Amino acid sequence: MLSEERKKELDILMERASCAGDEYYFDMEQDEFDEEMEGYEEEEFYKSFCRQREIGFDAYQKEIAEQFRHITSAEELHYMIADYNYDDGVFAVEQIVMNPACDIVTAKMVYWLCQPCYFYDRYSSPSKCDEKDINVDWALLLTKMEAKANANDFQTGLEWNGELFDEQPDNLDFTKEPYCYVPLVFR
């Protein structure tokens, strides 16, 4: 069971990760940034975007990714992604599902929340997604997740006391193309 203090630490890391994947404020002129952020100077996202602007976009992503590498608990990873707003981008999601401690329960939830049906219906597979598709980053993540699942690299045995989400659509026929290619552990 996670302590309230640890939950706060993980929530802050997720907020930082959401910022790490967002170039919007990074590319702003300083005066525009200051105007946009006026009144938010004490907020974590303000501090995160300031750090990102100070050290650079890629350096900030590496810094945050390194913090995720120190998480070795499937329970912590699941907690972090359970209420994630997927509109905040793929960076934080990737840090969680590609972490060696990520459990298949978490991975399956994330997989279906990433809407693989869009890619299977449109391209016959996430790996065949057109690079001009606005959702190509999600397709790349799904492709990585499928490879990790097919290699049996997700952990098992997560004991989660919270709510679990099963977002898999009910009407999929896994015996026919293209859905027969969905990894067994995600079905």
Side-chain angles (χ1 to χ4, degrees):
M1 178 110 177
L2 300 176
S3 70
E4 290 305 312
E5 182 179 329
R6 184 61 178 154
K7 286 179 181 180
K8 286 179 186 177
E9 292 170 356
L10 296 173
D11 291 343
I12 289 170
L13 180 55
M14 282 301 285
E15 189 163 0
R16 290 176 181 164
S18 293
C19 295
D22 185 352
E23 292 183 73
Y24 180 75
Y25 292 104
F26 179 74
D27 293 333
M28 270 186 186
E29 295 295 326
Q30 187 63 45
D31 60 337
E32 186 180 359
F33 177 78
D34 293 340
E35 185 178 319
E36 287 279 327
M37 291 291 177
E38 188 175 343
Y40 296 107
E41 292 83 3
E42 298 303 315
E43 300 293 333
E44 188 60 45
F45 65 86
Y46 172 79
K47 296 171 190 172
S48 294
F49 284 124
C50 286
R51 176 79 176 145
Q52 179 191 63
R53 291 167 63 85
E54 174 188 334
I55 67 172
F57 188 81
D58 292 335
Y60 188 67
Q61 278 194 331
K62 287 179 185 174
E63 186 175 278
I64 298 303
E66 180 61 29
Q67 292 176 28
F68 273 91
R69 280 192 276 284
H70 293 288
I71 297 175
T72 59
S73 164
E75 181 182 11
E76 289 182 354
L77 293 169
H78 194 87
Y79 168 80
M80 294 170 80
I81 199 69
D83 292 322
Y84 184 71
N85 179 349
Y86 285 73
D87 290 338
D88 285 344
V90 71
F91 178 79
V93 179
E94 184 170 359
Q95 302 312 303
I96 289 172
V97 296
M98 298 315 291
N99 184 301
C102 185
D103 191 273
I104 191 61
V105 169
T106 304
K108 184 177 179 182
M109 177 188 77
V110 169
Y111 183 80
W112 292 106
L113 286 170
C114 289
Q115 302 295 316
C117 294
Y118 168 81
F119 302 103
Y120 276 100
D121 292 342
R122 191 169 199 144
Y123 302 108
S124 77
S125 170
S127 65
K128 296 178 182 175
C129 180
D130 186 320
E131 59 186 48
K132 294 178 184 173
D133 189 307
I134 193 169
N135 298 304
V136 70
D137 290 341
W138 292 104
L140 293 171
L141 176 62
L142 287 166
T143 301
K144 289 178 185 178
M145 290 180 70
E146 288 182 353
K148 186 174 177 177
N150 288 330
N152 293 315
D153 282 346
F154 286 105
Q155 298 297 313
T156 58
L158 174 68
E159 292 184 25
W160 180 251
N161 295 328
E163 190 174 335
L164 290 174
F165 301 97
D166 185 7
E167 297 294 328
Q168 177 182 323
D170 293 331
N171 59 344
L172 299 181
D173 186 349
F174 294 113
T175 65
K176 296 181 181 171
E177 288 193 8
Y179 291 102
C180 62
Y181 300 112
V182 171
L184 291 173
V185 296
F186 288 151
R187 299 179 190 182

